[in-house]
Amino acid sequence: MARRKKIYEGKAKILYEGPEPGTIVQYFKDDATAFNAEKKDVIEGKGVLNNRLSEFFMTGLNNVGVPTHFLKRLNMREQLVRACEIIPLEIIVRNYAAGSLSKRLGIEEGTALPRPIVEYCYKDDKLGDPLVTEEHIAAFGWASQQDMDDVVALALRVNDYLSGLMYGVGIKLVDFKIEIGRVYEGDFQRLIVADEISPDSCRLWDLETGEKLDKDVFRHDLGNLADAYTEVAKRFGVMPKNATHNAKPTLIN
Ligand code: TMP
Ligand code: ASP
């Protein structure tokens, strides 16, 4: 049997060469890491849940005109995505104070921010993804000023869409991280949302109880991570069958 080509393996996903030029197969692992992989575990079913949830959020974004890399889900753990040139930044949007913002500025977790705040971290595991400003981004040529204008516009559209979607199922979107890539179409370059959107990359709190339904459950040992992600999947009606069984991928139509 022909072996397919692995392009990249990260902490939570593997990328394989896709069936056509310009496509990539994105495989979701069950591995969970936190604090730059100082804390690690395997959470059975996490990859299946994130594959479904990322499909759901990216499809919704595509449908409202926010371009993403998502093309099609292939099976329980894999999706076909457009190849793009990833801008080496983690783009974080915050609606409420939490995590590193609370720590850095001494603002109590859960405090509503006066407006959404967009932050950038330079993607480099060796450096622990340090926070950077647009000055660093321009000076080191990671993205142009035009790119950054488009990045902010995209990030805020994603925030509006996701915030409303979450609110509709009783979830507060506290913050999230996205990655953005460039695709080339003839003489033009366009930016699209890439990577994943899942409870691994968002902070999601139940609107009524404040219960955490995201990776903070794993980061801070607050309970069962798969149960939290399952709750999110159930609220959106995308709960996969066999999520907690280590089932082999099966083809879907
Ligand atoms: P932070 O408060 O730790 O900076 O995290 C902000 C948001 O970014 C939060 O929703 C979690 C997400 N995030 C990632 O997706 N990957 C990361 O490596 C980190 C540190 C945060
Ligand atoms: N994804 C990062 C890591 O593994 C950090 C995090 O999400 O907390 O280490």
Side-chain angles (χ1 to χ4, degrees), residues 67 82 84-87 141-151 154 180-192:
R82 266 187 90 166
C84 61
E85 196 181 283
I86 294 283
I87 294 177
W142 298 324
S144 67
Q145 191 53 55
Q146 176 65 54
D147 283 341
M148 292 315 292
D149 292 346
D150 294 347
V151 161
L154 264 181
I180 289 180
R182 301 185 181 93
V183 288
Y184 297 92
E185 288 163 1
D187 289 343
F188 294 94
Q189 173 211 287
R190 240 173 19 114
L191 297 187
I192 62 176

Side-chain angles (χ1 to χ4, degrees), residues 159-213:
N159 186 42
D160 284 347
Y161 175 76
L162 284 182
S163 293
L165 195 71
M166 299 290 178
Y167 188 81
V169 297
I171 292 174
K172 183 189 272 189
L173 179 62
V174 173
D175 57 30
F176 64 91
K177 184 265 305 191
I178 51 171
E179 294 184 24
I180 289 180
R182 301 185 181 93
V183 288
Y184 297 92
E185 288 163 1
D187 289 343
F188 294 94
Q189 173 211 287
R190 240 173 19 114
L191 297 187
I192 62 176
V193 179
D195 190 51
E196 72 179 281
I197 299 176
S198 75
D200 267 11
S201 55
C202 301
R203 282 200 176 89
L204 306 173
W205 297 357
D206 182 86
L207 264 180
E208 278 178 13
T209 65
E211 186 190 355
K212 292 186 162 92
L213 300 171

Side-chain angles (χ1 to χ4, degrees), residues 1-9 13-20 23-29 51 72-81 248-251:
M1 207 159 55
R3 209 180 157 80
R4 64 181 167 176
K5 193 169 161 211
K6 193 192 274 189
I7 299 172
Y8 176 80
E9 178 156 3
K13 294 187 295 297
I14 306 174
L15 302 181
Y16 297 99
E17 215 165 60
E20 290 170 48
T23 65
I24 283 177
V25 173
Q26 182 165 264
Y27 175 98
F28 287 78
K29 301 195 278 189
N51 186 25
K72 156 181 196 211
R73 185 165 57 83
L74 298 171
N75 55 52
M76 297 281 276
R77 287 184 181 275
E78 295 176 327
Q79 46 185 242
L80 189 68
V81 299
K248 287 229 168 65
T250 47
L251 267 179

Side-chain angles (χ1 to χ4, degrees), residues 113-126:
L113 299 171
R115 57 177 225 184
I117 293 177
V118 183
E119 294 177 345
Y120 314 106
C121 292
Y122 178 53
K123 262 173 75 70
D124 186 324
D125 282 340
K126 284 196 286 306

Side-chain angles (χ1 to χ4, degrees), residues 11 33-38 200 215 219:
K11 286 176 284 200
T33 63
F35 313 118
N36 210 6
E38 261 172 50
D200 267 11
K215 203 163 94 175
R219 291 189 189 99

